[in-house]
Amino acid sequence: MGNPGQPPGNGAVSPLEDKWYALHVRSRHERRVENSLTGKGYAVLSPFYCVKRQRPDRVVHVDLPLFPGYVFCNFDWRNRLPILKTPGVTTIVGNRNAGQPVEAEEIAGIRAMMDSGRPVQPWPFIRAGQRVRLRTGPLADTVGIYVREKNSSRLILSVTLLQRSVMVEVEQDSVEPLF
């Protein structure tokens, strides 16, 4: 197979050269782009969350993208042409000459949230607030911003490059402040 984030047959690349980038994709093309890039051998992250929608005759569960219009992909910036030629990809977020990778800590936090099995939902981007780390549970060592809402403790994880955030409920006693 090849290196993660590297299409098979393109040669070995140092892991330091492969970074996660946010791809801006056409509206409602997140899954299509994810499947296409995965088929090309790239590591892709396109998280979805489930919401209930009321229809005239029933309630349905709908999967919506956590970051509408964006898909994260791990690749070497110097070999970006196959990414840009993928149907549905409009651009790589950042500046055209060098790209701007997403922080590895932010990608790890999103993965931990999605793997936790807890309800996740989009949240307005927050610039200021108390940064915390979770000490215990399935989200241990995840760093984010602590928020109290409606008598529950929540962790906000932000992707600075996209100016987007997501929220997950946590136990208050598992939160420790970062200084």
Side-chain angles (χ1 to χ4, degrees), residues 5 80 88 93 114 127 173:
R80 66 189 174 277
V93 177
M114 299 312 297
R127 290 190 187 274
D173 59 352

Side-chain angles (χ1 to χ4, degrees), residues 34-165:
E34 176 185 15
N35 292 337
S36 183
L37 289 171
T38 301
K40 291 179 180 182
Y42 290 97
V44 181
L45 178 61
S46 179
F48 283 75
Y49 68 106
C50 186
V51 295
K52 291 181 186 177
R53 293 282 167 95
Q54 182 67 46
R55 300 287 191 244
D57 58 338
R58 66 191 186 285
V59 174
V60 295
H61 294 270
V62 179
D63 284 338
L64 297 175
L66 201 52
F67 299 96
Y70 297 95
V71 171
F72 301 101
C73 185
N74 183 269
F75 62 93
D76 181 355
W77 176 257
R78 296 171 297 179
N79 297 323
R80 66 189 174 277
L81 192 56
I83 304 293
L84 291 169
K85 285 188 170 187
T86 302
V89 174
T90 59
T91 188
I92 301 170
V93 177
N95 105 28
R96 289 172 38 173
N97 298 326
Q100 186 171 354
V102 177
E103 296 292 327
E105 179 181 87
E106 294 172 344
I107 294 293
I110 293 169
R111 284 185 173 207
M113 279 187 171
M114 299 312 297
D115 293 343
S116 74
R118 295 171 182 254
V120 178
Q121 69 187 49
W123 195 261
F125 182 73
I126 300 170
R127 290 190 187 274
Q130 179 68 44
R131 289 185 52 82
V132 298
R133 178 185 322 270
L134 297 179
R135 293 179 300 185
T136 61
L139 297 173
D141 294 327
T142 301
V143 175
I145 298 169
Y146 178 71
V147 175
R148 292 269 312 159
E149 183 183 87
K150 297 181 184 176
N151 296 326
S152 67
S153 297
R154 299 174 184 207
L155 181 73
I156 308 299
L157 180 87
S158 298
V159 177
T160 308
L161 178 64
L162 300 182
Q163 293 190 357
R164 304 267 177 121
S165 300

